[in-house]
Amino acid sequence: MTLRLVFLLLCLAWWLPPAAAQAPAPDGRQRVALVVGIGTVGGRAVLPSATRDAPALAAALGAAGYEVLLRENPSTAELRGAFQQLRDKLRPDGLGLVYLTGPMAQVDGRNLIVPADIALNDSADAAAVAALLRVVGVPVQEALQALAGSVDAPRVLVLDGAWRIAPLGRLTPPGLTRQRTPDGMVVMMGHLPAALQDPLPAEPAPADARDPKARAATRLAKAMADALTLSGVTVAEALRAVRLEVLDASGGRSQPVISGSLVARVDFARKAPAAAAVVAAAPA
């Protein structure tokens, strides 16, 4: 089932009177996205899909009118610096989006990101891993703080981090917990709370792949890239379509979860001039 068919079904399911169902008029509001992909931790490759998904999503967002900050395998300091840069760039009424793919885990009811400069011991037991993450893990809450704005400013956080990666998979409960969502913000998790998925094999993108969807590795990244090509679709409608596309493509094995709500009806994508689609990459 294609994403466009999914969206058509959504429109039929949530049919409104013609006056209320009109798509929002194109607007010139600012759109800023931070895309973070962490595939290597402590010098060890742990999530090959992140090396494909992050640049593919950055390209799709750039083509959809976003100013994009791309960070691949950031250290703790670089990750926090990226959050600060997003906070500085994002205007109070702007559309802000953060896409995080990489190793994450929940400890003491908090979702934590594992930056690239953290050394994980594959043989460590759950207690040792939890103790380490309490000290060096970067709370997902910091991404939400970077997105903070007025209630009527659309803000989106996408978390694709519930992967079965040693030694994180030994933690109990596993995966991520449902992220607390402030008013006026939406959080999409790639998998159900307390659930893990196996990392995809390390396969390079097809050599002839030109569009971002073909260059992405995971179902979630492909569906997100596809949604960014749709016109006249609001942020909330696009995320619901992404969720249904992943459910359908995985046969129900992958079940993204959406929490929170948006007040403003704003287009998810806005075609931009070529100059505005340039991806800002982190310095080496």
Side-chain angles (χ1 to χ4, degrees):
M1 184 184 296
T2 67
L3 194 62
R4 285 165 179 79
L5 179 56
V6 169
F7 179 66
L8 176 60
L9 294 175
L10 280 171
C11 291
L12 294 174
W14 287 294
W15 183 257
L16 297 172
Q22 292 178 352
D27 64 83
R29 80 171 63 218
Q30 179 201 39
R31 286 168 168 77
V32 183
L34 170 62
V35 178
V36 177
I38 303 174
T40 301
V41 174
R44 178 171 63 94
V46 296
L47 191 64
S49 61
T51 64
R52 288 178 53 180
D53 286 352
L57 255 295
L61 286 160
Y66 289 76
E67 179 182 358
V68 183
L69 308 172
L70 172 61
R71 300 293 181 265
E72 298 182 84
N73 296 318
S75 65
T76 302
E78 290 167 343
L79 180 59
R80 288 192 160 123
F83 289 153
Q84 182 61 53
Q85 188 175 5
L86 175 67
R87 187 182 298 113
D88 293 341
K89 282 182 173 292
L90 192 55
R91 299 172 193 156
D93 64 341
L95 195 171
L97 183 146
V98 174
Y99 181 91
L100 293 169
T101 178
M104 303 178 207
Q106 60 169 309
V107 177
D108 303 331
R110 295 193 304 161
N111 290 325
L112 303 173
I113 308 163
V114 182
D117 59 340
I118 303 305
L120 293 176
N121 182 355
D122 279 6
S123 60
D125 59 21
V129 176
L132 174 67
L133 293 183
R134 288 188 187 99
V135 177
V136 301
V138 175
V140 168
Q141 184 64 30
E142 295 188 19
L144 292 174
Q145 291 168 354
L147 285 167
S150 61
V151 175
D152 59 351
R155 307 294 164 91
V156 178
L157 173 62
V158 181
L159 300 175
D160 195 17
W163 299 100
R164 188 172 285 104
I165 296 173
L168 303 179
R170 301 190 183 100
L171 293 171
T172 303
L176 301 177
T177 186
R178 187 177 292 272
Q179 185 67 43
R180 293 180 181 177
T181 309
D183 294 338
M185 189 178 296
V186 164
V187 174
M188 170 180 274
M189 295 171 50
H191 315 304
L192 288 169
L196 293 172
Q197 288 203 347
D198 293 320
L200 298 179
E203 296 180 355
D208 58 347
R210 295 182 179 180
D211 67 288
K213 180 180 179 180
R215 299 204 303 268
T218 63
R219 297 184 185 96
L220 180 63
K222 288 179 179 294
M224 287 282 294
D226 202 8
L228 287 162
T229 66
L230 302 177
S231 60
V233 179
T234 67
V235 175
E237 291 165 345
L239 294 179
R240 288 197 294 263
V242 167
R243 178 181 180 276
L244 290 181
E245 168 65 8
V246 173
L247 274 170
D248 181 75
S250 67
R253 291 186 298 275
S254 295
Q255 300 185 38
V257 176
I258 301 174
S259 58
S261 61
L262 300 177
V263 175
R265 287 178 56 83
V266 179
D267 283 350
F268 189 42
R270 172 173 54 82
K271 297 307 177 183
V278 175
V279 173

